[in-house]
Amino acid sequence: MEHITYSYFPGCTLKNKAKALDIYARASAEALGFTLKEIPDWQCCGGTYPLAKDEIATKLSSVRALADARDAGETLVTICSACHNVIKQVNDDMQNDENVILKVNNYLKQDGIQYNGETKVLHYLEVLRDVVGWDNVKKAVKNPFTGKKIGAYYGCLLLRPGKVLQFDDPENPQILEDFIKAIGGTPVIYSLRNECCGAYTMFDDKSIPEARAQKILANAGDMGADFLVTSCPLCRYNLIKNKGESKLDVMYFTELLAEALGVKEGADA
């Protein structure tokens, strides 16, 4: 595969609480023949997509990132599920919502920016699936997860809204299971793998994320999972914080990838 450079939006959490998600992603990318070039001076995407139709200000940081990638002639890659959800939905607005397009560009013209949704946005997993290819990932594996039963935890932000994200089938996703197979593990299918963990309700009612997390972990454990893998820092935090009696660990998919490719030790250093 020809070496490809992508514009990269890491997001705030990958610079503090979720550094492992970022570090292992970069190391694995180089091993697989592509580079993540961090966008300069990026700003927080906001973490949640604003549902109010007249809310423009919180979309501006995403538009700036999208415009930077376009000007560099590169596809924009994200990893964090929340960042991907916000940026992908904002990009859709800038392609299809005339009200948002007009107001955003009126505001950003003072910075010399005019943007109309030209940038392609990919999640890191989509790069593995659609550009690198699972067969090539498998060929690059040096330390396969043979014998490990791994449960994929998607949560909600990677999959919904399905028509905009177009990431995978929201009801029966396969991309993380295909990833697990590519690194030599055995995917465990359990019914709650694409259900919300309730993390966004934690400040309203702590009992909701506690109950949801424990139900998800119990479901995965009952189906034989040794541990779970995710791309969402908030989901991982919630599942670990509220695991109750569950013994299952929750890991970032990039850490597993780096270990499988034999670059984890170098990334740790």
Side-chain angles (χ1 to χ4, degrees):
M1 184 183 81
E2 178 184 355
H3 195 97
I4 301 174
T5 297
Y6 293 103
S7 287
Y8 172 46
F9 184 92
C12 305
T13 309
L14 272 68
K15 291 299 182 178
N16 45 74
K17 297 294 185 181
K19 287 182 178 179
L21 186 54
D22 171 68
I23 292 169
Y24 297 131
R26 294 175 189 258
S28 298
E30 295 297 332
L32 291 170
F34 63 98
T35 295
L36 299 177
K37 185 181 73 178
E38 187 172 329
I39 290 175
D41 302 322
W42 56 266
Q43 299 168 304
C44 176
C45 70
T48 57
Y49 174 75
L51 296 177
K53 280 294 184 181
D54 59 350
E55 179 55 59
I56 299 299
T58 54
K59 298 181 179 182
L60 297 178
S61 62
S62 295
V63 175
R64 288 191 176 99
L66 289 160
D68 280 346
R70 177 204 58 192
D71 294 344
E74 296 164 353
T75 294
L76 180 62
V77 169
T78 62
I79 303 177
C80 168
S81 298
C83 292
H84 182 72
N85 185 283
V86 172
I87 290 176
K88 194 73 182 282
Q89 290 204 71
V90 170
N91 201 40
D92 183 72
D93 286 340
M94 297 304 295
Q95 294 168 342
N96 299 303
D97 191 321
E98 293 298 331
N99 177 58
V100 175
I101 294 169
L102 176 64
K103 291 182 177 179
V104 166
N105 281 320
N106 278 343
Y107 188 93
L108 291 179
K109 66 182 179 181
Q110 61 187 331
D111 299 324
I113 297 174
Q114 174 80 25
Y115 182 75
N116 292 86
E118 298 93 344
T119 300
K120 184 176 183 179
V121 181
L122 291 177
H123 189 275
Y124 193 103
L125 283 165
E126 292 178 297
V127 176
L128 298 182
R129 179 188 66 192
D130 302 333
V131 182
V132 178
W134 296 128
D135 287 344
N136 288 324
V137 173
K138 187 174 182 178
K139 289 176 184 177
V141 167
K142 297 179 180 179
N143 306 309
F145 281 82
T146 306
K148 291 295 184 181
K149 297 179 180 179
I150 306 170
Y153 182 66
Y154 291 88
C156 48
L157 294 175
L158 271 183
L159 301 169
R160 305 176 180 92
K163 289 183 179 179
V164 175
L165 294 184
Q166 298 182 355
F167 178 79
D168 206 339
D169 183 344
E171 299 304 320
N172 186 29
Q174 296 295 321
I175 192 169
L176 273 171
E177 283 78 13
D178 290 341
F179 165 77
I180 292 166
K181 292 176 186 176
I183 61 171
T186 301
V188 173
I189 304 298
Y190 61 105
S191 62
L192 299 183
R193 63 199 173 106
N194 59 342
E195 294 297 319
C196 178
C197 71
Y200 281 113
T201 67
M202 112 179 22
F203 295 110
D204 182 48
D205 184 349
K206 290 183 179 180
S207 68
I208 296 174
E210 287 175 0
R212 283 180 174 264
Q214 290 171 22
K215 192 173 181 180
I216 289 164
L217 290 165
N219 181 210
D222 288 345
M223 297 305 293
D226 294 321
F227 56 89
L228 299 187
V229 62
T230 189
S231 75
C232 182
L234 187 57
C235 291
R236 181 177 183 271
Y237 171 82
N238 186 44
L239 291 172
I240 290 176
K241 178 180 175 61
N242 297 306
K243 67 190 308 180
E245 296 181 359
S246 175
K247 304 299 183 183
L248 296 187
D249 195 6
V250 184
M251 303 177 68
Y252 293 126
F253 80 93
T254 56
E255 182 173 0
L256 268 63
L257 180 60
E259 185 170 342
L261 296 175
V263 297
K264 183 175 183 292
E265 186 174 340
D268 287 334

